[in-house]
């Protein structure tokens, strides 16, 4: 929320500098994200009055203005201006010769000098709001109030030496979604006097009442409204109001809309102004009906159902309750009669409704967090009084209906517990003072406080809420940092267990970058990519594309590749270590468990582009299955096996299941071609996903003596059927190998001419070495023959001729 510091100080003005005030608010839990000047630095701009405005003799779109700047010049100035609204009689900002305006697009300050424009001398410049850096409006000159003093410095007149606060509020601080709400906090923090809330007195001269019937007490707890007739919607918004709105980031639209926005910012009270002449019959406050539609003020037409609150007249739905009004009853510059409404909408009836229609509003943001119901009449009087003062007209009586408002239950806080939780000895008297400054009605006993929250506080329900109030008003920076004193004990690290940090480091060492993705994913990913027909749904997703819990880390990595590829990266290697969420009826509730949901840790990675960064010593090619398999072999425990298998996410001919001792560990493979379009990729990445628990187990290193005997190598080429995996051949050879066989490794696979159809040749290297003696030829040949006989018996292998 953004607002000017001067507006805040009009309600509570402590003897603190702007920076000190920002720090005090931040330390009390209202984080001031940014403090910015109301306008960038500039000099030499004053209030000017256009005395005469004539057409430029040599240009159709320029005007020749005679401008009075008071004592700033001996005589009125002649200034050439191209603004469409330049005319005699208005007062505007005038930059004198020598003035320095805020930097333009080139980043350099703009100095005003005497110039000739189309042959006519110009001694100054008439300014728009954008040229002064006040707002983005550049449709014409910034028109000032008719009472603006000619010659006055524009920075003083428009209070541009002011600052603006941008405050980041936590969701529980709905009471601070207004300038007056923040002023209440400043009063509680500093003890500076707090002005009473702005009010208005409305003189009732009409008897008109618009009938309103509240049919849904679970939607609307209180509804109030008033008829105003004879208003002038074309009346200009006062300069002081326009200035405060602009400093709050609001664009001035029309007097009626501006006044409604102003009261919302000032008091936190969203309201709605109907064009009374467009309302048909009476109003009903109810839940929507399936099939109903509403064209909103933003131009969107939405379809309604029984879960959305509405305000309807005898003809149709006219407003989305607590969120946005409808177009058919919106006020315009031709509006003469209005109906002004303020209501209390139950937060649970508003929460999530705007997100269903893919937009958000300031009103919905406030109502879904909770808005004070007790002050509705006073705030409505304030709004109506401003309309009558600015737009004129006559007012009818206030129609106020209280149907179903929340009950504020007392909350008990133990003094000793508060002191123990906060960690500093805040006295009971200090606690009482804090509660008083916060406006919390309380009753004190010897050991407790019994506090009744006010109607504008929706965040005080339990003892811990009151303790938090004590801590933040006392000041988090007043709580000393005292590290706990404990005996330090070194814990033995099991050498056979690898930590998660070591796992991450090992993958990063293979040239992968770690990512951290949301556990909430697009339901389409689960259904279409992973074949999960029953994903775990979120009750209140933060976005429609984050509606279910992930069962795999791979789609998130593919999205990371898509993002980087769209930003012209030609090689991406990413990994993630995190939880997935699987349905498992055997899981019961626990401290870190949810019944029916297994949450195993997984390690996943994806490689796309080249196997190495582009360089002169390596030809350009795409990463393939075996590149990533080599990365995994450096990570996997000994004995890991890769077997051909199919997965809905992977290419059926280029994927493998990874297992250890017959227990599945994970998957490796190339992304299925049918999924490339979903991620806007032209080449398929190679991905893997593994269970983490088996990866953390590793054998303790065992010392082996270095043999002084020569190493013997025998290469054999076995002809087998295409279907026989190379891994099966090496395993079979290992089974028949004597102890002095050190390694059995595949170094080539050949398919083609010279081999029977359906056959392949697998070249295998066998290394033999004894630690004590030199191996005899008959031992070597005997070992090779036993291994060949065994592999022939198991797989029908024959030696290649």
């Amino acid at each position: 929320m953004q607002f000017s510091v001067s507006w805040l100080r009009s309600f509570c003005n402590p003897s603190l500098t702007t920076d000190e005030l920002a720090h005090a608010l931040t330390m009390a839990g209202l984080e001031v994200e940014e403090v910015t000047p109301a306008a960038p630095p500039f000099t030499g701009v004053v209030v000017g009055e256009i005395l005469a405005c004539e057409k430029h003799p040599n240009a159709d779109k320029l005007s020749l203005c005679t401008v009075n700047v008071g004592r700033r010049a001996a005589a009125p100035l002649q200034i050439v201006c191209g603004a469409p609204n330049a005319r005699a009689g208005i007062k505007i900002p005038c930059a004198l010769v020598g003035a320095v305006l805020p930097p333009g697009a080139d980043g350099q300050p703009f100095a005003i000098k005497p110039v000739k424009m189309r042959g006519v001398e110009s001694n100054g410049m008439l300014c728009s709001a954008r040229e002064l850096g006040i707002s983005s409006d550049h449709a014409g000159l910034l028109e000032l109030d008719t009472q603006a003093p000619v010659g006055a410095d524009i920075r003083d007149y428009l209070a541009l030496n002011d600052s603006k606060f941008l405050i980041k509020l936590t969701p529980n601080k709905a009471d601070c979604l207004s300038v007056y709400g923040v002023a209440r906090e400043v009063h509680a923090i500093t003890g500076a006097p707090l002005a009473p809330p702005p009010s208005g007195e409305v003189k009732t001269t009409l008897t008109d009442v618009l009938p309103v019937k509240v049919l849904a007490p679970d939607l609307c707890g209180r509804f109030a409204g008033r008829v105003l007739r004879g208003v002038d919607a074309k009346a200009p918004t006062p300069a002081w109001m326009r200035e405060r709105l602009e400093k709050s980031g609001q664009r001035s639209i029309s007097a009626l809309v501006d006044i409604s926005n102003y009261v919302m910012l000032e008091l936190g009270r969203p309201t709605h102004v109907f064009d009374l002449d467009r309302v048909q019959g009476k109003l009903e406050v109810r839940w929507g009906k399936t099939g109903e539609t509403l064209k909103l003020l933003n131009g969107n037409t939405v379809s309604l159902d029984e879960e959305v609150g509405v305000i309807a007249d005898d003809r149709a739905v006219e407003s989305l309750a607590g969120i946005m009004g409808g177009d058919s009853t919106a006020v315009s510059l031709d509006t003469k009669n209005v109906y002004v409404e303020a209501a209390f909408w139950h937060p649970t009836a508003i929460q999530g409704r705007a997100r269903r229609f893919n937009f958000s509003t300031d009103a919905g943001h406030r109502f879904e967090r909770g808005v004070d119901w007790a002050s509705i009449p006073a705030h409505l009087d304030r709004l109506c009084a401003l309309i009558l003062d600015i737009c004129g007209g006559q007012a009818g009586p206030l129609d106020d209906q209280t149907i179903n408002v929340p009950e504020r239950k007392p909350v008990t806080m133990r003094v000793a517990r508060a002191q123990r939780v906060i960690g500093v000895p805040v006295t009971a008297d200090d606690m009482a003072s804090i509660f008083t400054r916060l406006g919390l009605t309380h009753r004190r006993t010897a050991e407790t406080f019994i506090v009744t929250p006010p109607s504008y506080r929706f965040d005080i329900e339990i003892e811990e809420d009151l303790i938090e109030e004590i801590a933040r008003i006392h000041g988090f920076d007043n709580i000393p940092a005292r590290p706990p004193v404990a005996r330090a004990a070194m814990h033995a690290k099991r050498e056979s267990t690898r930590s998660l940090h070591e796992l991450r480091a090992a993958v990063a060492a293979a040239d992968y970058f770690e990512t951290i993705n949301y556990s909430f994913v697009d339901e389409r990913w689960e259904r279409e990519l992973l074949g999960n027909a029953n994903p775990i749904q979120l009750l209140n997703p933060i976005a429609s594309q984050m509606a279910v819990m992930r069962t795999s880390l791979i789609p998130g990595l593919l999205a990371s590749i898509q993002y980087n590829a769209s930003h012209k990266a030609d090689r991406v290697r990413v990994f993630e270590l995190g939880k997935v969420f699987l349905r498992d009826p055997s899981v019961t509730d626990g401290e870190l468990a949810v019944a029916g949901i297994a949450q195993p840790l997984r390690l996943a990675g994806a490689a796309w582009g080249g196997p190495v960064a582009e360089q002169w010593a390596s030809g350009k090619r795409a990463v393939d299955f075996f590149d990533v398999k080599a990365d995994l072999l450096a990570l996997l425990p000994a004995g890991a096996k890769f077997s051909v298998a199919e997965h809905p996410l992977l290419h059926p001919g280029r994927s493998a299941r990874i297992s250890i001792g017959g227990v599945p560990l994970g998957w490796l493979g190339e992304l299925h071609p049918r999924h490339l379009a979903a991620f806007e990729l032209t080449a398929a990445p190679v991905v893997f996903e593994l269970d983490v628990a088996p990866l953390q187990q590793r054998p303790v290193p065992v010392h082996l003596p270095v043999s002084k005997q020569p190493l013997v190598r025998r290469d054999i080429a076995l002809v087998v059927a295409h279907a026989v995996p190379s891994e099966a051949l090496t395993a079979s050879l290992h089974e028949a190998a004597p102890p002095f066989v050190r390694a059995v490794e595949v170094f080539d696979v050949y398919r083609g001419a010279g081999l029977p159809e359906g056959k392949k040749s697998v070249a295998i290297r066998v290394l033999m070495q004894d630690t004590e003696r030199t191996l005899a030829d008959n031992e070597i040949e005997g070992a090779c023959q036993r291994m060949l006989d065994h592999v022939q018996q198991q797989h029908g292998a024959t030696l290649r001729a």
Side-chain angles (χ1 to χ4, degrees):
M1 188 179 73
Q2 180 178 296
F3 54 86
S4 68
V5 176
S6 61
W7 195 359
L8 175 64
R9 289 186 183 274
S10 69
F11 297 127
C12 185
N13 189 15
S15 56
L16 300 174
T17 66
T18 297
D19 288 340
E20 289 171 342
L21 180 56
H23 178 75
L25 285 170
T26 299
M27 288 297 101
L30 278 68
E31 181 185 354
V32 180
E33 277 196 307
E34 193 175 25
V35 181
T36 55
F42 62 83
T43 59
V45 183
V46 301
V47 176
E49 180 181 13
I50 300 179
L51 302 177
C53 182
E54 302 172 355
K55 283 288 184 184
H56 192 290
N58 302 320
D60 293 337
K61 294 185 178 181
L62 297 179
S63 301
L64 192 59
C65 300
T66 303
V67 182
N68 175 24
V69 292
R71 296 182 180 179
R72 302 285 180 163
L77 303 176
Q78 177 177 279
I79 298 176
V80 176
C81 176
N85 63 333
R87 62 192 186 277
I90 64 170
K91 293 183 178 179
I92 35 73
C94 177
L96 305 175
V97 172
V100 179
L101 298 185
D106 60 356
Q108 298 299 317
F110 183 61
I112 304 299
K113 303 174 183 178
V115 294
K116 277 193 175 182
M117 300 183 69
R118 296 291 183 90
V120 176
E121 189 172 311
S122 179
N123 296 297
M125 175 178 169
L126 307 185
C127 303
S128 68
R130 188 169 75 169
E131 287 160 341
L132 297 180
I134 300 173
S135 75
S136 59
D137 185 11
H138 63 288
L141 300 176
L142 174 61
E143 297 189 26
L144 305 176
D145 190 88
T146 57
Q147 303 302 315
V150 174
D153 190 308
I154 202 71
R155 295 193 70 92
D156 295 333
Y157 174 70
L158 293 180
L160 298 181
N161 296 316
D162 196 3
S163 297
K164 296 182 290 187
F165 279 171
L166 179 63
I167 292 187
K168 182 180 180 181
L169 296 172
T170 52
N172 63 314
K173 291 303 291 175
D175 59 300
C176 293
L177 284 168
S178 67
V179 178
Y180 192 78
V182 176
R184 279 195 301 252
E185 292 291 304
V186 174
H187 164 68
I189 297 164
T190 66
L194 176 67
S199 59
E201 184 176 345
V202 179
K203 184 178 180 181
T204 301
T205 57
L206 303 174
T207 59
D208 300 26
V209 174
L210 179 64
V212 178
K213 192 171 185 179
V214 179
L215 302 178
D218 56 337
L219 166 66
C220 179
R222 187 172 186 177
F223 192 96
R226 173 178 269 135
V227 171
L228 302 178
R229 292 191 179 276
V231 299
D232 178 12
K234 296 179 181 178
T237 302
W240 60 268
M241 181 179 289
R242 200 166 57 242
E243 170 211 325
R244 285 181 170 178
L245 289 173
E246 287 171 351
K247 289 178 182 177
S248 300
Q250 296 272 359
R251 182 172 58 89
S252 178
I253 298 172
S254 69
L256 291 174
V257 176
D258 290 350
I259 293 168
S260 179
N261 288 337
Y262 180 83
V263 171
M264 180 182 68
L265 291 170
E266 181 181 57
L267 298 170
R269 170 68 57 194
T271 58
H272 187 61
V273 182
F274 293 87
D275 188 324
L276 184 61
D277 296 329
R278 297 184 179 185
V279 176
Q280 302 294 316
K282 64 181 182 302
L283 293 181
E284 286 185 347
V285 179
R286 57 174 175 80
W287 293 104
K289 300 174 183 177
T290 301
E292 289 182 322
T293 61
L294 172 63
K295 184 178 180 182
L296 297 168
L297 288 172
N298 61 8
N300 294 346
T301 299
V302 295
S303 298
L304 309 176
D305 57 29
E306 290 80 2
E307 295 186 357
V308 180
V310 301
I311 301 175
D313 62 12
D314 292 345
R315 175 187 56 188
V317 174
E318 301 297 352
S319 178
L320 208 55
I323 299 174
M324 185 181 287
D327 180 70
S328 62
T329 54
V331 295
S332 67
L333 295 180
D334 298 323
T335 297
K336 298 297 181 186
N337 306 307
V338 298
Y339 179 73
V340 185
E341 161 270 307
F344 170 72
W345 308 101
H346 290 284
T348 54
I350 305 300
Q351 289 165 0
R353 269 56 175 191
R355 284 198 298 273
R356 290 181 52 183
F357 303 118
N358 296 319
F359 65 83
S360 62
T361 64
D362 289 335
H365 183 77
R366 286 164 171 78
F367 280 125
E368 65 184 7
R369 287 160 173 76
V371 176
D372 183 15
W373 67 84
S375 58
I376 286 177
H379 291 177
L380 199 58
D381 282 348
R382 168 68 168 164
L383 176 68
C384 293
L386 286 172
I387 292 175
L388 294 174
D389 288 346
I390 296 169
C391 302
Q394 295 179 295
L398 179 68
D399 177 28
D400 183 16
Q401 304 177 48
T402 301
I403 304 99
N404 175 32
V405 295
E407 178 187 357
R408 285 288 183 254
K409 296 180 180 179
V411 179
T412 300
M413 186 195 76
R414 294 162 287 176
V415 173
R417 173 165 169 73
Q419 292 171 337
R420 186 167 66 253
V421 171
I422 297 171
V424 294
V426 182
T427 67
D429 288 340
D430 289 340
M431 294 180 185
S433 174
I434 289 172
F435 287 147
T436 300
R437 297 200 306 272
L438 283 169
L440 302 179
T441 304
H442 60 276
R443 182 164 52 88
R444 182 174 171 181
T445 67
E447 298 179 351
T448 64
F449 283 92
I450 301 171
V451 179
T452 302
S455 56
Y456 54 82
R457 293 299 296 268
F458 288 77
D459 59 327
I460 298 178
E461 296 180 343
I462 57 176
E463 182 180 31
E464 285 74 12
D465 295 332
L466 293 174
I467 295 174
E468 180 186 2
E469 294 299 295
I470 296 293
R472 68 183 191 85
I473 300 302
H474 178 73
F476 293 127
D477 53 347
N478 292 325
I479 299 176
R482 294 174 182 165
V485 179
R487 179 178 296 174
M490 297 294 291
H491 295 282
K493 179 183 175 183
R494 295 177 62 88
E495 194 175 357
S496 61
T497 301
R498 183 160 43 182
S499 70
L500 297 180
H501 176 73
E502 289 174 311
L503 272 178
R504 291 187 176 99
V507 184
D511 201 20
Y512 290 82
F513 287 86
E514 185 173 11
T515 67
I516 301 175
N517 294 307
Y518 277 105
S519 297
F520 317 136
V521 298
D522 194 330
E523 186 172 355
R524 180 175 55 85
W525 288 0
E526 288 292 316
R527 295 186 183 276
E528 297 179 11
L529 301 184
L530 302 169
N532 180 9
N534 186 26
I536 300 169
Q537 301 280 346
L538 292 173
L539 292 178
N540 188 22
I542 60 176
S544 59
Q545 71 274 17
M546 305 175 79
V548 301
M549 302 300 292
R550 66 185 179 187
T551 59
S552 171
L553 305 178
I554 293 176
L557 297 177
L558 294 175
S560 296
I561 291 177
Q562 177 188 9
Y563 177 84
N564 283 277
S566 69
H567 286 72
K568 307 304 180 185
D570 58 3
R571 180 175 180 266
V572 184
R573 293 164 70 89
V574 289
F575 79 95
E576 180 174 8
L577 195 157
K579 287 184 177 181
V580 297
F581 303 84
L582 311 171
R583 294 192 183 277
D584 185 349
S586 65
V587 178
T588 58
D589 273 324
E591 186 175 342
L592 297 174
V594 177
I597 308 291
Q599 304 178 46
L601 271 176
R602 295 267 181 89
L603 172 67
W608 178 81
V612 294
E614 189 173 357
Q615 56 173 299
W616 63 270
S618 176
K620 190 172 183 180
R621 67 176 180 88
V623 66
D624 62 25
F625 177 95
F626 297 101
D627 293 318
V628 180
K629 181 181 178 182
D631 295 335
L632 291 184
L633 287 174
L635 184 70
L636 292 168
K641 296 185 180 300
F642 294 77
S643 54
V644 176
E646 292 190 7
H647 186 283
L649 190 63
L650 305 178
H651 192 300
R654 302 174 186 174
S655 60
R657 181 191 291 276
I658 307 170
S659 59
I660 297 179
V663 179
L665 175 62
W667 291 87
L668 165 67
E670 189 177 289
L671 183 67
H672 199 294
R674 68 168 175 257
H675 300 315
L676 291 179
F679 293 95
E680 301 174 354
L681 298 175
T682 55
V686 180
V687 300
F688 66 85
E689 185 166 32
L690 308 169
D691 285 321
V692 167
L695 294 179
Q696 291 187 270
Q697 305 306 313
R698 61 182 173 188
V700 176
V702 177
H703 167 72
L704 292 175
V706 178
S707 177
K708 298 179 180 179
Q709 307 304 320
L711 188 69
V712 178
R713 170 174 171 164
R714 290 290 186 270
D715 293 345
I716 56 177
L718 299 176
V719 178
V720 294
H722 281 317
V724 178
S726 300
E727 192 174 59
L729 294 178
T730 56
S732 182
L733 292 171
H734 268 297
E735 290 172 4
F740 56 73
V741 173
R742 294 285 180 237
V744 179
E745 300 167 342
V746 175
F747 66 88
D748 188 32
V749 177
Y750 172 74
R751 296 179 178 87
L755 293 177
E757 188 173 349
K759 299 288 186 176
K760 65 181 177 180
S761 173
V762 181
I764 298 175
R765 176 173 54 244
V766 180
L767 300 178
M768 292 173 276
Q769 186 183 47
D770 194 281
T771 58
E772 301 294 335
R773 59 186 176 82
T774 301
L775 294 173
D777 287 345
N778 62 335
E779 290 179 295
I780 296 169
E781 299 305 326
C784 289
Q785 190 60 49
R786 284 195 302 273
M787 295 165 69
L788 287 171
D789 292 343
H790 189 68
V791 76
Q792 182 178 17
Q793 182 181 359
Q794 285 199 335
H795 301 292
T798 60
L799 274 175
R800 183 178 175 186

